[in-house]
Amino acid sequence: MSKKELELRPGTGPTADDQPVVQVVRVPRMTATWRAIHWFQALAVVVCFITGLYIANPYYSPNPTRIDAATYFMAWNRAIHFYGALVLDVSMFLIAYLYVFSTKHRDITDLRPSPENLTEFKEALLNFVTFNRRKRLDTSKRDPFLAVLFLIFHLIMLTQLLTGFQLYVASYSANISAVGSWWPWLLHFVTDWTLTVFGGNVGVRETHLVTAWIIIAWAVFHIYYEIWRSIMWKEGDIVISFGGYKYVKRSGTKHV
Amino acid sequence: MEYDRRSLFARALGHTKELRTTEDEALALQRACEARLREVEAMEPLSGLELAPLLTEHKLSRRAFIAWTSAMTAALMLPPLLRPQVAKAATLLNRIPVIWIEGQDCAGNSEAFIRSSGPTVEELLFQTISLEFHETLMAAAGIQAEQRKQQAAQMYKGSYILVIEGGIPLGENGGYCTIGASGQTFVDEVRELSGGAALVLAAGACAFYGGIPASNPNPTDAVGVSSVVSGKPLINIPACPMNPVNFVGTLIHYVLTGSAPALDSLGRPIWAFGNLIHNNCERRAHFDAGEYVQHWGDAGAQNNFCLYKMGCKGPFTYNNCSIVRYNEGTNWPIGVGHGCIGCSQPQFWDTLAYERPMTNASIHAPGLAGWGVESSVDEFGLGLLAVVGVGIVAHAIASAAAGHRARQTEPPAAEVGAASTEDHQDTGGEE
Ligand code: HEM
Ligand code: SF4
Ligand code: SF4
């Protein structure tokens, strides 16, 4: 989107002929990259959750009187869980990169505790808890409140990723892997601390399970919040994740 | 930490990345072991018992012994080339003085050796070991026994292997467990005897992390050896009971190399505890196929289906009983139709020993352990979702009400539009 689109009045200065108008402008909010990440992650989280629950406690089985291993339900669930996890892992790397190096919008800029950011954070929070009665923020921008919500999500995801990798490396026999011993070594190196922090492999598994529920709870809240914003602010927040833009009413003047 | 599966090689030859041993490496290892065996052979046989006559006496054929040494060589993850050295090491076990003490235990680890149907090679080896002190097995009692212990500790200072069986209570200054006529606390005995030991072996689950005595609420404040002994090479050989193969194997490894085998992060020999039960379980194909025993005695149980839904903790448990089994390889828990209860893992009694999958267990949510929040993970999860759901509904209703009121009183959007259009330009664009 070009700068021009944002401009309400491409003319020169105001003149006597100018008339007040309300116009809807498109504000770019999510790049194609972020939208792709968003939907890949949403899909992968749902897939991981469904298959993860099966791994935790298999809730369907072939007929026990028919001995036939052709179904391989658990093997498929585990494989699909790991593919989903792979998508999440890769997307998390991308996100980590974009947090810091994105040329357009860096989350770390929103997360800096500068006075303006703190005020905006407070105002967005107050807006939500006063049920939109107090609204002293520019709703067209990506506000620090949203940035913090996503930071929380990314930290939860990181926990899931690290505990998941620890569970994964635990399933290697004597740390032999098809791609070489460096891979289990690397996984151990990066995730063994989770054993200490969460209390052994049992604690890591419990954490992975509990975190799975926390992720789903976060997602439910996230969906609600986006719908709430769309309804209360009337700026089409919900379509940001599809088209990348939100639609903001601007009052300006029009040269007639 | 050492992650090489061939524990012995990692020690003797340094870390190698290749998983398969080359012939040169095997030969070099063989030479190193032979040198060490010559040293041990020069030492005085202490127990006065030799393995060869014992084998003949108990009608264990040479063939049976060779079969045993082959199995042990494989269990220790050594190349087959080293079988003669393993056999030799077995005959030299009588050179190693062993002091075996027991605290909060059931003597199950000692029993595991001596209660087999016929004398096994392990049991005979256990006889040839120079067992200088073992309360349950020795004839002496009371003050005599204690003197024997003191003597042995003096005589073999710095060279004996100290085997500790049982948990160590720390509560009441260790007063929950006192040993012998003098009433010495077990924790003091452990400290004293480990001081003069060349190597400390923690035998069984209780010596590992406190085991059953340490299970919730752990009234005696029991701990494992690693919480008491420091500054000594310590090898944990957990399980309930410890598998005699793993004990004898560790001793043979010591005789062969003069050092402890490579250990995992919990101090267990990798050669014995490097694999999940689950990965070598005979029911694993049923696990992958989604074929589970759903109730005791159902069609699945009759067909030896996987015991995961009956609470098998094989996927969490590192041990080799799925390979070496118990009682001379006769069978093992999963083989007879009960799931693994994770007896070789820390705190297994509280965290693993129940007959349902972990997600259905009433366990503490992580981090909340002390607060008494106890629910199964799924209940916790559904509860969390319910809380979020209720919050959302309440918030939505309140928002609707607030919007309604706002429409009735003031003109809407009075405060919107405070920001200038320029602000938006930093938010967009492609990457
Ligand atoms: C981020 C990358 C992830 C990795 C590497 C990962 C990996 C794993 C692994 C290795 C297991 C154990 C499987 C087994 O032992 O056979 C597992 C289980 C599970 N995962 Fe994930 N996972 C990830 C993400 C997720 C996500 C996003 C969710 C759900 C939102 C999830 C939910 C679960 C559940 C519920 C289980 C079963 C827990 C249990 O063992 O009882 N995982 N995961
Ligand atoms: S019975 Fe236990 S160890 Fe064996 S495959 Fe099933 S879950 Fe794994
Ligand atoms: S199957 Fe599990 S509980 Fe049973 S002896 Fe082996 S490690 Fe212990």
Side-chain angles (χ1 to χ4, degrees):
Chain A
M1 165 154 181
S2 70
K3 274 187 177 188
K4 261 196 208 110
E5 268 182 83
L6 281 173
E7 246 139 327
L8 294 180
R9 203 173 48 74
T12 46
T15 69
D17 295 336
D18 286 354
Q19 304 247 312
V21 285
V22 175
Q23 201 174 332
V24 173
V25 286
R26 295 205 306 171
V27 184
R29 282 286 297 268
M30 250 175 129
T31 62
T33 318
W34 275 110
R35 277 176 282 149
I37 292 175
H38 176 268
W39 288 111
F40 270 116
Q41 282 207 333
L43 182 70
V45 162
V46 170
V47 164
C48 279
F49 188 64
I50 293 170
T51 52
L53 288 186
Y54 186 86
I55 298 167
N57 191 4
Y59 45 84
Y60 53 88
S61 285
N63 182 353
T65 52
R66 218 185 88 228
I67 306 221
D68 164 7
T71 45
Y72 271 81
F73 288 146
M74 177 58 91
W76 276 108
N77 271 285
R78 291 186 71 219
I80 293 168
H81 188 83
F82 298 156
Y83 285 120
L86 196 79
V87 169
L88 292 173
D89 298 339
V90 171
S91 63
M92 287 301 289
F93 274 110
L94 250 167
I95 287 172
Y97 173 81
L98 292 179
Y99 254 69
V100 189
F101 295 115
S102 169
T103 50
K104 288 293 180 276
H105 184 83
R106 286 173 218 148
D107 271 70
I108 46 164
T109 344
D110 287 344
L111 291 167
R112 212 178 30 212
S114 64
E116 310 90 75
N117 277 348
L118 287 173
T119 320
E120 277 190 48
F121 177 86
K122 191 188 78 191
E123 286 304 331
L125 181 64
L126 284 175
N127 174 250
F128 185 61
V129 298
T130 60
F131 314 112
N132 200 36
R133 269 179 285 190
R134 175 186 169 119
K135 193 172 178 196
R136 296 188 194 149
L137 76 156
D138 175 10
T139 54
S140 66
K141 281 203 321 185
R142 196 182 144 84
D143 55 85
F145 183 62
L146 214 53
V148 168
L149 278 184
F150 278 100
L151 178 70
I152 291 171
F153 176 71
H154 294 140
L155 291 178
I156 299 172
M157 284 299 289
L158 199 63
T159 311
Q160 192 71 341
L161 194 146
L162 291 165
T163 52
F165 270 131
Q166 174 56 229
L167 288 173
Y168 187 59
V169 75
S171 69
Y172 279 119
S173 268
N175 298 310
I176 301 167
S177 104
V179 294
S181 59
W182 63 271
W183 174 231
W185 181 88
L186 184 71
L187 291 183
H188 276 296
F189 186 73
V190 177
T191 68
D192 270 3
W193 60 269
T194 58
L195 291 171
T196 322
V197 171
F198 298 119
N201 61 5
V202 173
V204 167
R205 186 120 171 197
E206 282 169 11
T207 307
H208 194 75
L209 250 171
V210 169
T211 310
W213 285 101
I214 294 174
I215 289 172
I216 297 303
W218 187 95
V220 168
F221 172 76
H222 166 64
I223 294 167
Y224 170 71
Y225 190 45
E226 291 305 325
I227 294 175
W228 184 85
R229 283 187 159 193
S230 312
I231 293 174
M232 304 310 275
W233 295 354
K234 302 188 182 66
E235 289 168 354
D237 284 70
I238 200 82
V239 297
I240 294 174
S241 59
F242 299 97
Y245 295 96
K246 73 182 279 182
Y247 298 86
V248 183
K249 278 202 206 79
R250 286 262 168 259
S251 39
T253 48
K254 195 178 172 194
H255 193 66
V256 286
Chain B
M1 214 183 299
E2 185 60 76
Y3 290 112
D4 196 327
R5 76 182 292 210
R6 296 145 313 133
S7 50
L8 203 54
F9 287 97
R11 295 254 153 184
L13 302 168
H15 187 76
T16 45
K17 286 278 177 280
E18 262 294 310
L19 279 171
R20 204 143 39 88
T21 332
T22 66
E23 197 149 331
D24 285 348
E25 284 173 325
L27 286 169
L29 181 67
Q30 192 177 36
R31 277 193 298 277
C33 290
E34 270 174 345
R36 159 79 185 164
L37 287 175
R38 274 194 296 277
E39 263 173 47
V40 178
E41 196 168 15
M43 285 153 63
E44 189 91 4
L46 299 167
S47 72
L49 283 175
E50 294 288 344
L51 185 63
L54 269 180
L55 289 172
T56 336
E57 190 185 315
H58 289 92
K59 303 203 169 50
L60 269 165
S61 65
R62 190 181 138 68
R63 180 186 288 265
F65 181 63
I66 290 178
W68 181 87
T69 51
S70 304
M72 183 52 81
T73 311
L76 284 166
M77 295 182 179
L78 295 172
L81 190 69
L82 262 82
R83 199 201 56 75
Q85 281 69 40
V86 169
K88 182 85 182 166
T91 65
L92 296 179
L93 281 185
N94 60 3
R95 264 87 170 159
I96 308 293
V98 174
I99 295 180
W100 186 305
I101 56 174
E102 289 175 68
Q104 278 185 320
D105 75 325
C106 64
N109 300 288
S110 304
E111 294 276 345
F113 275 101
I114 59 175
R115 288 283 184 263
S116 46
S117 53
T120 61
V121 177
E122 275 90 11
E123 190 185 340
L124 295 180
L125 280 173
F126 196 56
Q127 287 183 25
T128 69
I129 288 170
S130 167
L131 205 50
E132 300 300 323
F133 180 85
H134 190 308
E135 251 158 342
T136 311
L137 299 180
M138 66 205 279
I143 297 195
Q144 275 179 326
E146 224 152 273
Q147 283 169 348
R148 178 74 202 112
K149 185 173 70 186
Q150 304 299 347
Q151 272 173 8
Q154 282 297 316
M155 198 170 351
Y156 303 111
K157 198 167 169 35
S159 68
Y160 62 85
I161 294 182
L162 178 67
V163 181
I164 301 170
E165 183 179 359
I168 308 168
L170 299 180
E172 301 286 342
N173 285 323
Y176 285 112
C177 182
T178 60
I179 304 287
S182 70
Q184 187 185 30
T185 63
F186 187 53
V187 57
D188 281 344
E189 188 184 30
V190 167
R191 285 206 187 100
E192 191 184 304
L193 288 177
S194 61
L199 188 69
V200 181
L201 296 185
C206 301
F208 178 43
Y209 263 78
I212 309 283
S215 58
N216 199 25
N218 194 358
T220 64
D221 200 5
V223 296
V225 175
S226 59
S227 309
V228 173
V229 171
S230 56
K232 282 282 163 188
L234 166 67
I235 305 175
N236 289 319
I237 311 176
C240 190
M242 137 185 107
N243 198 320
V245 173
N246 295 345
F247 181 75
V248 170
T250 304
L251 287 188
I252 286 185
H253 187 289
Y254 179 70
V255 171
L256 267 178
T257 65
S259 63
L263 305 175
D264 71 5
S265 58
L266 297 171
R268 303 173 293 192
I270 288 175
W271 67 264
F273 298 91
N275 275 308
L276 286 173
I277 292 287
H278 188 54
N279 285 1
N280 291 308
C281 175
E282 62 236 20
R283 301 186 184 219
R284 178 59 188 264
H286 292 297
F287 173 85
D288 286 334
E291 296 177 333
Y292 305 103
V293 177
Q294 312 272 357
H295 306 283
W296 297 122
D298 67 3
Q302 284 157 22
N303 286 305
N304 295 335
F305 280 9
C306 167
L307 294 154
Y308 187 58
K309 290 195 80 173
M310 303 309 288
C312 179
K313 301 302 184 301
F316 303 90
T317 307
Y318 291 89
N319 203 347
N320 57 354
C321 40
S322 47
I323 307 167
V324 302
R325 305 175 160 216
Y326 279 88
N327 300 330
E328 283 289 85
T330 308
N331 212 334
W332 66 301
I334 289 174
V336 296
H338 193 281
C340 169
I341 57 170
C343 72
S344 57
Q345 294 297 114
Q347 283 116 28
F348 81 100
W349 194 254
D350 292 333
T351 58
L352 298 164
Y354 42 82
E355 290 176 343
R356 52 204 182 284
M358 183 176 288
T359 175
N360 281 355
S362 279
I363 43 163
H364 297 282
L368 297 174
W371 296 3
V373 175
E374 199 181 56
S375 70
S376 84
V377 176
D378 289 347
E379 279 166 21
F380 167 84
L382 288 173
L384 181 70
L385 276 191
V387 169
V388 172
V390 168
I392 283 175
V393 170
H395 189 270
I397 290 172
S399 300
H404 187 65
R405 218 174 310 135
R407 252 191 313 283
Q408 284 176 341
T409 52
E410 48 185 296
E415 289 166 316
V416 189
S420 75
T421 43
E422 272 75 20
D423 281 358
H424 309 138
Q425 284 155 18
D426 59 354
T427 59
E430 297 299 314
E431 241 68 48

